[in-house]
Amino acid sequence: MKIFRSHVLICGGTGCSSSKSPLIKKRFEDKIKELNLENEVQVVVTGCFGLCEEGPIVIIYPEGTFYARMTVERVDEIAEEHLLKGRIVRKYLYDESAKNEQIKPLSEVDFYKKQKRVALRNCGVINPENINEYIARDGYMALGKALTEMTPDEVIKLVKDSGLKGRGGAGFSTGMKWSFAAPNKADQKYVICNADEGDPGAFMDRSVLEGDPHAVLEAMAIAGYAIGATKGFIYVRAEYPIAVHRLEIAIKQAKLLGLLGDNLFNSGFDFDVEIRLGAGAFVCGEETALMQSIEGKRGMSRNKPPFPANKGLWGKPTIINNVETLANVPQIILKGPEWFKSFGTEKSPGTKVFALGGKINNTGLVEVPMGTTLREVIYDIGGGCPNHREFKAVQTGGPSGGCLTKDHLDIPIDYDNLTAVGSMMGSGGMIVMDEDNCMVDIAKFFLDFTVDESCGKCTPCREGTKRMLEILERITEGKGKMEDLDKLERLAVNIKETSLCGLGQTAPNPVLSTLQYFRDEYEAHVKEKRCPSGVCQSLLKYIITMDCKGCTRCSRICPVGAIEGKVKEVHIINQEKCIKCGACMDSCTFHAIIKK
C-alpha cells in the first residue's frame, strides 16, 4: 500500500459540491501532477466537515490546516507553497485558526471544541467511496463481533442497556423496538432505514449517508441479525443524488467483500439491502406512510396498532430506524453500553446531531453530547447571530417543533427538557431567529408547510390545520380579532389530540409555542394592526420623509405609480395604491424613505 506524506481532504458533501468542490479537487490533482508530487500527496474527497458556512473546505494533513471558502483560483498557490515548499498560506485559512502566531488545526477551533462525534465520526475523515478506509476505522468489526460472539438476544440487550433512543424524533428506545420484533415468527422480516429527511433546513441524515454510508449498512445488518430479518430497505429521498450514489457504491463494495449477502462471517446469517427512492413527501417520514410508499402505494399513515414490529412492510414484522440512530449502533456494539452512557444525560445518553441554520454565524452540522445547553450550541459553537443582531428565538424539531426564547438558553438539551417547554427534539433541525423575525409570520410559515404536506387522510389534520392557517393569514393581514387567538389555541389542542399520526399531532407546536412566549406580538398584530418586526407586508407603510430631494427616482421605479410629486419637491406615497414592495426605499440614494 502506498504511503503519502500529505493528504488533501476536500469536502464532497452537497453544500460544498454545489460550490464547485469537484472543480477544486480536479485542479489539485492536476497541479500536484505538474509539481511531480503524485507519489507524495493524495487528494481525498470526504463527507461533510460540518462548518458549512465556510465551504468549500479543504483540510491538509498531517498539519490539520483549515482552508476555508476555497476557490479553484487559490489551488495553485496552496499547492506550490504548502504542498511543495511546506509554507502554510495564512491568508486563505479559516479566520479563527490564523488569528494567533500559532496556527490552530481544525480540531481546536471553537466550532469543534465542544463537539463529540459518534454518528459523524467518519464524516470529513474518510473517503466514503472506499470501503477499505471504513474498515481501517474499525468498520464491520461490530458486525463481526455480533455474528461470531453474541446471540441475537445479547445484541438486543446491549443496545437496550445503552439507552439509545430513536434520533428520528420520537425518542423511543431502540433496543425496546428491536425486542418487540424479535419474538414474532414469520417467513420474512424487514429492517428499514428511514432516510426521508423532509424538515426545512435539516441535512443530518443526508450528511451521514454522504460521508459514512457503510456505518448505516453495518448497523442494518446488526439489526437484521438481532430480530431475524434477512432483508433491508433504505428509503431515501430522490433529492439526495450524492447520498444515493454513495449508497449504491457502498452496497456494491460490501457485497463484493462478503459483508452483505449470504453467510456473513461464515455465521449462516444472510442479509441484503436495497434502496427505495422517495418522491419528497414529508408525511413519508412517518413510519406507516413510509411503508405504504415502499409497497408502491400512496404515502398515507395508518392506524396503530398493529405496530410495524408485529405487522409492518407487506404485513411482515418490521423495524424502522432513522439514519442517525443506526450510525450509533456499531460503536455501541464495539465499545459497550457504559461507554455510550458516559456522555449525555441519565435519561438521554449519547450525542445528538443538529443542523444549525437561520440567523447564525456558523451555519452547519454539529454533534454534541445530550445535556449541552442551547446557549453553548448557539453562541459557543454557532457564534451567535450575524451583524451583532440580538437573538430572539430558536426552533428545535423542524416544522413540528416549538420556538423557544432567550429564557430557555440554559436548558440542557434532551428529550424530556425540550418537551417540557413546548418544543421537541425532532430529527435535529435547529433554526435560529433574531430581532428582525416576526414570530407570527414564523408560525404561519411552518404551518403553511404542514398544510401542504398533510396526506389528507384524517380530518383534524387535513381541515384543522387549514383553518389555523386561515386565521394566521387574517392576523398578518391586519384583519384579526382577539377571539381568533382563543380559537387558534382550541383548534391546536383538538388537532394534537385527534390527528392520526405524528405529523398532525405535532403540526400545531409552532403556533402554540409562539402564542405562549410571544403573545405580545400576536396582540400587536390584532389590536394595533402593527407588525413589531416590520415583516408582515400588509401591515407596513412606506413613508417619504423631509429628507427627500425630489429627484423623482422613486416615482420612476414604482411599479404601480403610487408616488406623487414634482421635481425638487418632497414626494408623497399614495397608501391606497402602494403594494408595499419596497422598491422605492431600496432605490432612494438619500435614505429619505422609511418603513414603518
Side-chain angles (χ1 to χ4, degrees):
M1 190 175 78
K2 193 179 285 187
I3 304 295
F4 296 91
R5 65 168 171 84
S6 292
H7 290 83
V8 179
L9 272 60
I10 302 173
C11 178
T14 294
C16 287
S17 293
S18 67
S19 299
K20 302 184 179 179
S21 70
L23 296 179
I24 293 168
K25 168 185 175 281
K26 177 72 167 57
R27 185 58 200 153
F28 261 115
E29 289 173 336
D30 291 346
K31 189 64 181 177
I32 286 167
K33 196 169 183 181
E34 283 177 32
L35 297 172
N36 294 316
L37 295 175
E38 60 264 42
N39 292 320
E40 299 178 50
V41 179
Q42 185 180 34
V43 177
V44 181
V45 174
T46 71
C48 179
F49 289 103
L51 189 45
C52 305
E53 180 69 26
E54 297 297 323
I57 291 173
V58 171
I59 310 293
I60 297 182
Y61 288 102
E63 300 93 336
T65 45
F66 182 173
Y67 290 108
R69 305 196 180 208
M70 271 295 296
T71 64
V72 175
E73 292 72 28
R74 296 176 178 181
V75 170
D76 287 10
E77 187 177 353
I78 290 172
E80 290 167 3
E81 291 296 313
H82 189 153
L83 298 177
L84 182 64
K85 301 174 185 175
R87 299 193 292 226
I88 293 170
V89 187
R90 294 181 69 102
K91 62 184 177 182
Y92 299 144
L93 293 177
Y94 174 52
D95 286 346
E96 188 196 330
S97 66
K99 270 181 184 174
N100 303 318
E101 187 125 348
Q102 190 172 5
I103 292 170
K104 286 184 184 178
L106 173 76
S107 58
E108 292 180 21
V109 301
D110 289 341
F111 183 80
Y112 294 100
K113 279 196 301 192
K114 288 197 173 183
Q115 294 193 47
K116 182 170 181 61
R117 294 195 150 203
V118 178
L120 299 178
R121 76 184 190 99
N122 286 330
C123 293
V125 176
I126 66 170
N127 177 355
E129 297 183 16
N130 186 339
I131 192 172
N132 293 321
E133 293 200 15
Y134 179 69
I135 290 171
R137 298 266 296 169
D138 298 333
Y140 290 103
M141 283 184 65
L143 177 60
K145 178 181 177 181
L147 294 181
T148 61
E149 299 177 22
M150 304 173 73
T151 65
D153 286 343
E154 287 172 339
V155 172
I156 291 173
K157 184 178 185 306
L158 191 150
V159 174
K160 195 184 291 185
D161 288 347
S162 74
L164 175 65
K165 293 184 176 184
R167 295 323 197 222
F172 189 76
S173 164
T174 303
M176 190 74 73
K177 181 184 282 190
W178 293 9
S179 71
F180 292 156
N184 295 325
K185 304 296 181 186
D187 58 347
Q188 180 68 64
K189 295 181 182 181
Y190 297 103
V191 172
I192 297 176
C193 169
N194 182 352
D196 188 67
E197 187 173 46
D199 296 9
F203 50 98
M204 302 78 62
D205 293 348
R206 185 192 76 200
S207 296
V208 173
L209 294 177
E210 290 176 351
D212 197 13
H214 286 286
V216 175
L217 298 180
E218 182 178 13
M220 290 178 72
I222 292 168
Y225 174 67
I227 71 162
T230 59
K231 185 74 176 179
F233 290 96
I234 301 176
Y235 186 85
V236 56
R237 50 183 44 222
E239 293 100 320
Y240 287 177
I242 295 175
V244 172
H245 175 66
R246 290 180 183 161
L247 276 171
E248 289 171 343
I249 291 172
I251 291 170
K252 193 178 294 183
Q253 290 176 340
K255 286 181 178 180
L256 201 61
L257 294 186
L259 298 168
L260 283 179
D262 298 332
N263 193 24
L264 306 187
F265 288 88
N266 292 317
S267 65
F269 172 66
D270 305 335
F271 192 78
D272 207 352
V273 174
E274 289 183 24
I275 298 170
R276 288 289 184 271
L277 299 183
F282 181 62
V283 72
C284 287
E286 194 277 329
E287 58 185 11
T288 59
L290 183 154
M291 291 187 295
Q292 292 275 98
S293 182
I294 290 179
E295 291 173 2
K297 302 168 187 171
R298 181 179 174 185
M300 300 177 81
S301 303
R302 64 164 173 78
N303 287 316
K304 293 185 287 188
F307 292 96
N310 299 314
K311 191 176 180 182
L313 190 63
W314 290 296
K316 306 295 184 181
T318 305
I319 58 165
I320 304 173
N321 294 118
N322 93 313
V323 172
E324 186 187 341
T325 309
L326 291 167
N328 282 281
V329 170
Q331 292 303 295
I332 291 171
I333 298 293
L334 278 182
K335 298 179 180 178
E338 294 307 318
W339 165 80
F340 191 72
K341 290 194 289 188
S342 67
F343 42 92
T345 64
E346 185 179 352
K347 292 185 178 179
S348 298
T351 61
K352 182 71 189 80
V353 181
F354 292 100
L356 193 57
K359 305 286 187 68
I360 192 81
N361 278 306
N362 296 332
T363 302
L365 204 65
V366 305
E367 183 173 6
V368 293
M370 293 281 195
T372 304
T373 65
L374 286 168
R375 186 184 301 279
E376 289 175 289
V377 174
I378 293 167
Y379 287 97
D380 297 347
I381 296 173
C385 298
N387 304 317
H388 306 289
R389 308 301 287 173
E390 188 177 343
F391 167 84
K392 186 173 191 177
V394 58
Q395 194 206 29
T396 65
S400 304
C403 296
L404 305 179
T405 72
K406 60 182 71 175
D407 294 335
H408 303 108
L409 284 173
D410 294 311
I411 289 176
I413 299 169
D414 70 11
Y415 290 92
D416 296 336
N417 287 338
L418 291 179
T419 302
V421 292
S423 191
M424 60 188 291
M425 185 76 73
S427 58
M430 189 177 285
I431 309 296
V432 177
M433 289 154 263
D434 69 12
E435 58 194 279
D436 293 331
N437 286 108
C438 168
M439 301 314 294
V440 185
D441 183 66
I442 290 291
K444 186 179 78 169
F445 169 80
F446 283 113
L447 196 62
D448 186 42
F449 175 83
T450 50
V451 166
D452 277 349
E453 295 294 340
S454 172
C455 74
K457 184 174 183 178
C458 74
T459 305
C461 178
R462 183 184 69 244
E463 299 298 330
T465 54
K466 283 182 184 174
R467 302 292 84 80
M468 287 181 72
L469 181 60
E470 288 167 2
I471 293 171
L472 287 173
E473 285 172 342
R474 284 204 304 271
I475 291 172
T476 56
E477 290 168 2
K479 301 172 185 175
K481 301 174 183 177
M482 283 305 293
E483 51 263 36
D484 284 335
L485 304 188
D486 295 330
K487 194 181 292 184
L488 268 177
E489 287 183 300
R490 286 198 307 273
L491 270 169
V493 171
N494 287 334
I495 292 166
K496 281 178 74 73
E497 290 178 352
T498 57
S499 288
L500 177 62
C501 78
L503 185 148
Q505 291 161 11
T506 57
N509 284 345
V511 178
L512 285 172
S513 61
T514 51
L515 272 169
Q516 181 179 358
Y517 299 123
F518 299 95
R519 196 177 188 90
D520 57 325
E521 290 197 29
Y522 280 87
E523 291 183 355
H525 283 71
V526 174
K527 290 179 179 178
E528 305 169 35
K529 309 303 179 190
R530 177 177 66 87
C531 176
S533 302
V535 171
C536 299
Q537 288 290 98
S538 298
L539 301 180
L540 294 180
K541 278 186 180 179
Y542 288 90
I543 296 172
I544 300 177
T545 68
M546 297 304 293
D547 292 329
C548 174
K549 307 301 181 187
C551 71
T552 74
R553 181 180 175 85
C554 60
S555 63
R556 284 183 278 116
I557 207 164
C558 178
V560 292
I563 299 175
E564 303 161 0
K566 297 178 181 177
V567 177
K568 296 186 179 180
E569 290 183 4
V570 175
H571 286 37
I572 297 171
I573 298 176
N574 185 326
Q575 297 298 333
E576 290 183 6
K577 284 186 179 180
C578 179
I579 60 171
K580 304 173 176 63
C581 65
C584 57
M585 189 171 78
D586 293 339
S587 68
C588 182
T589 55
F590 302 102
H591 306 293
I593 302 177
I594 60 171
K595 182 168 67 173
K596 198 171 181 181

